[in-house]
Amino acid sequence: MGAHLGLSRQAPAGMTAQPPVLVVGAGPVGLTMAHLLAARGVAVLLVEQNATTSAEAKAISLDDESLRTMQMAGLDQAVLEIVVPGTGTRYFGRKGQMLFHARGPQPYRLGFPFKNQFAQPELERVLLQALKNRPEVEVRFGTALVGLREGETTIAELDSGEVEVSWVLGCDGGRSTVRELKKIDMTGTSHREVWLVADTTGDHHSERYGMHLGMPDRPTVIVPGRDGRCRYEFRLREGEAAAGERPEFGLIQQLIAPYRDITAAEVERAVTYTFNAVIADRWRDGRCLLLGDAAHMMPPFAGQGLNSGVRDAANLAWKLAEVWHGRCEERLLDTYEAERRPHATAIVAFSERLGRVVMTSSRLRAMTRDLLVRVARLTGPGRRYLEEMRFRPRTVHREGVVLGQGGLVGTQLPQPLVLVPPGLRPVLLDEALGEGFALLGVDVDAVDWARTTELARVRRIDVVLGDRLPRPLSERQAIADADGRLEAALGAARGRFVLVKPDRYVAAVFTAADAGSAAQLLRAFIRPTPAV
């Protein structure tokens, strides 16, 4: 029998009396998903075949979008306690010279630092500890999923017994049991290059950025962490070590020697591995859905493996909660893959390209890379392309819960500071948006607002631009610009309405005359309110 935490066999008062959602896998994605669902009043059973959380520092970087997702579950402050508020990635050339420092498009654009280093065991402990305050969640460690039966009900066969569940979420990694039980294949490429990863303590590095050293004789990645921790990654040469075998300390010492002296006791973890660039052929099968590495695996060079999984959780959690509570039709869940697969596929391909360019062992390719970067940095657009990481694929929802394309539509709304009456204390935008759909009227009048009554179940917010005070209104929330960034984010939508989804992506931008089309978009998914 597995260990239990936060037992909640019956849904808390006020929750729908139906079976819980089964989350398989208590890694960062599974733990995050459990929090997001519980925050929306969904009963969750979280199972993990291992006896406890991971002791291995696998993922090491959370981006600003992932921290914004943690904010949705009330976890941001706890997570910020264990991360290094980072400043991006610094890339070096074939002779060790700095090429450029990629800091992202704008500091705190989403309300948090752009890139943040952390230790996965610490993150998992923080997320698990916080689950103790979630009566909606039951956690069972030492419990494996061994079978599934789907019919009128969904039965999860655990090695500790059977349990009826409403939905099954495969957050169980690259060797996903859920994916195997559903006989879902993965398509892509397995790479043969062997890398050695060493997590160390007692390190002198104090940089708040990762370092990619593009020296073709020994491509290397260095990521400093907190309290003297540091991750080293080295591309191995033929014959130095095989993938999957435990590397000898002598090899580790030799590789790290150019950067520090080290003892065996200062090596917390060292593994050799190859990587995959693969996507699951489908992400939903019946009442089972895949997230994170169960749905997509990628090379580590873009630092987007875990972050892509957290994006999956943010996208799926609100949709599953709406379906579980009976407020939306099941077809809403089909928009999960439609919205997430294109970006995950692009990020997998991008990670491969970045590895071939930045971590190349070809002297000619490294020389060409350095020359092209040097030329690009001679121009303003070239510098911005590199330093703002415009080469990284943007997340844009072109299908799913969206109306039209272009402009803000399908993109994630930034999170500036806003002023909220009556106190006018600056707060992050998401605090004003709430957890559901939000309809922002950007400098629109009462007549235009009156033409949006067809849009049901949305939080209505007056957006006041131009250094003006927001007026308290009984029928709507009001917000104003605190520092100019709200104007930058929404100025182009002045005089129109912006419909924001619960995951903070923009579903539609429209005038009052087109409010009916936006209402029709929502009616495609929202169940009518039963007549009393």
Side-chain angles (χ1 to χ4, degrees), residues 39-180:
R40 295 178 179 275
V42 177
V44 176
L45 171 60
L46 173 61
V47 300
E48 167 59 53
Q49 65 180 356
N50 294 316
T52 185
T53 54
S54 174
E56 296 185 352
K58 303 170 187 175
I60 55 170
S61 176
L62 282 173
D63 62 19
D64 49 356
E65 187 172 354
S66 290
L67 285 178
R68 189 179 192 178
T69 298
M70 299 296 172
Q71 178 191 3
M72 294 177 192
L75 297 165
D76 51 313
Q77 295 307 309
V79 173
L80 284 170
E81 290 290 329
I82 64 166
V83 305
V84 174
T87 62
T89 303
R90 188 167 289 189
Y91 294 90
F92 294 83
R94 71 189 193 284
K95 296 181 179 179
Q97 78 280 20
M98 193 189 87
L99 297 177
F100 65 97
H101 190 143
R103 297 177 181 272
Q106 184 186 88
Y108 287 79
R109 185 179 69 90
L110 300 182
F112 298 95
F114 175 66
K115 183 177 181 179
N116 307 271
Q117 291 83 262
F118 72 99
Q120 182 166 325
E122 285 187 315
L123 177 64
E124 292 187 11
R125 283 195 295 271
V126 165
L127 297 180
L128 182 61
Q129 178 66 28
L131 278 182
K132 293 180 179 180
N133 299 319
R134 301 282 195 192
E136 305 87 353
V137 182
E138 176 185 352
V139 181
R140 300 184 191 178
F141 281 96
T143 302
L145 175 69
V146 296
L148 286 168
R149 300 200 311 273
E150 292 184 69
E152 292 185 5
T153 60
T154 300
I155 303 298
E157 301 171 9
L158 308 177
D159 57 4
S160 57
E162 295 184 350
V163 60
E164 182 183 352
V165 297
S166 54
W167 297 88
V168 179
L169 305 183
C171 303
D172 46 349
R175 299 177 180 177
S176 169
T177 298
V178 175
R179 194 182 64 236
E180 291 180 0

Side-chain angles (χ1 to χ4, degrees), residues 173-176 179 183-189 276-283 290 292-298:
R175 299 177 180 177
S176 169
R179 194 182 64 236
K183 295 181 170 54
I184 299 174
D185 292 330
M186 302 192 86
T187 301
T189 305
N276 298 307
V278 291
I279 306 280
D281 292 346
R282 59 187 185 280
W283 295 12
L290 303 177
D293 283 357
H296 42 71
M297 289 186 283
M298 63 193 69

Side-chain angles (χ1 to χ4, degrees), residues 103-397:
R103 297 177 181 272
Q106 184 186 88
Y108 287 79
R109 185 179 69 90
L110 300 182
F112 298 95
F114 175 66
K115 183 177 181 179
N116 307 271
Q117 291 83 262
F118 72 99
Q120 182 166 325
E122 285 187 315
L123 177 64
E124 292 187 11
R125 283 195 295 271
V126 165
L127 297 180
L128 182 61
Q129 178 66 28
L131 278 182
K132 293 180 179 180
N133 299 319
R134 301 282 195 192
E136 305 87 353
V137 182
E138 176 185 352
V139 181
R140 300 184 191 178
F141 281 96
T143 302
L145 175 69
V146 296
L148 286 168
R149 300 200 311 273
E150 292 184 69
E152 292 185 5
T153 60
T154 300
I155 303 298
E157 301 171 9
L158 308 177
D159 57 4
S160 57
E162 295 184 350
V163 60
E164 182 183 352
V165 297
S166 54
W167 297 88
V168 179
L169 305 183
C171 303
D172 46 349
R175 299 177 180 177
S176 169
T177 298
V178 175
R179 194 182 64 236
E180 291 180 0
L181 288 172
K182 301 302 292 186
K183 295 181 170 54
I184 299 174
D185 292 330
M186 302 192 86
T187 301
T189 305
S190 295
H191 292 262
R192 299 175 57 189
E193 299 90 350
V194 180
W195 283 76
L196 184 148
V197 177
D199 291 305
T200 66
T201 60
D203 202 275
H204 67 278
H205 282 96
S206 59
E207 294 88 348
R208 287 171 49 215
Y209 50 83
M211 291 162 273
H212 285 211
L213 311 181
M215 302 168 292
D217 59 328
R218 181 69 75 186
T220 300
V221 178
I222 303 175
V223 184
R226 292 173 68 106
D227 305 320
R229 284 192 169 88
C230 190
R231 158 85 49 100
Y232 292 89
E233 302 184 17
F234 304 96
R235 180 168 172 172
L236 298 183
R237 299 168 187 154
E238 190 74 27
E240 285 185 320
E245 74 177 27
R246 184 178 180 86
E248 296 181 0
F249 174 68
L251 176 61
I252 299 169
Q253 187 178 39
Q254 172 192 336
L255 294 172
I256 293 180
Y259 310 101
R260 61 165 291 188
D261 294 325
I262 194 166
T263 66
E266 293 172 317
V267 180
E268 280 191 321
R269 166 184 175 258
V271 298
T272 54
Y273 73 99
T274 58
F275 52 81
N276 298 307
V278 291
I279 306 280
D281 292 346
R282 59 187 185 280
W283 295 12
R284 179 185 176 187
D285 188 304
R287 302 185 76 80
C288 299
L289 298 106
L290 303 177
L291 297 83
D293 283 357
H296 42 71
M297 289 186 283
M298 63 193 69
F301 307 115
Q304 287 297 298
L306 172 58
N307 291 300
S308 292
V310 174
R311 286 191 191 96
D312 296 342
N315 186 288
L316 181 57
W318 72 267
K319 297 173 180 177
L320 188 57
E322 291 299 295
V323 171
W324 192 87
H325 284 296
R327 295 190 289 258
C328 284
E329 304 288 351
E330 283 188 19
R331 58 176 171 267
L332 177 62
L333 299 180
D334 292 329
T335 69
Y336 161 58
E337 183 174 350
E339 291 179 354
R340 283 292 305 131
R341 175 184 278 274
H343 185 254
T345 301
I347 283 290
V348 169
F350 168 68
S351 299
E352 286 189 288
R353 290 196 305 273
L354 191 65
R356 287 196 298 269
V357 173
V358 176
M359 299 284 100
T360 182
S361 59
S362 164
R363 294 184 181 278
L364 177 59
R365 181 176 291 178
M367 184 182 301
T368 304
R369 173 200 63 206
D370 295 358
L371 176 61
L372 291 176
V373 169
R374 189 162 61 247
V375 171
R377 294 190 71 248
L378 295 176
T379 68
R383 285 194 301 275
R384 288 190 292 275
Y385 178 78
L386 296 170
E387 294 172 1
E388 297 178 11
M389 292 194 76
R390 297 187 179 186
F391 50 84
R392 192 172 78 174
R394 293 179 65 212
T395 311
V396 180
H397 298 168

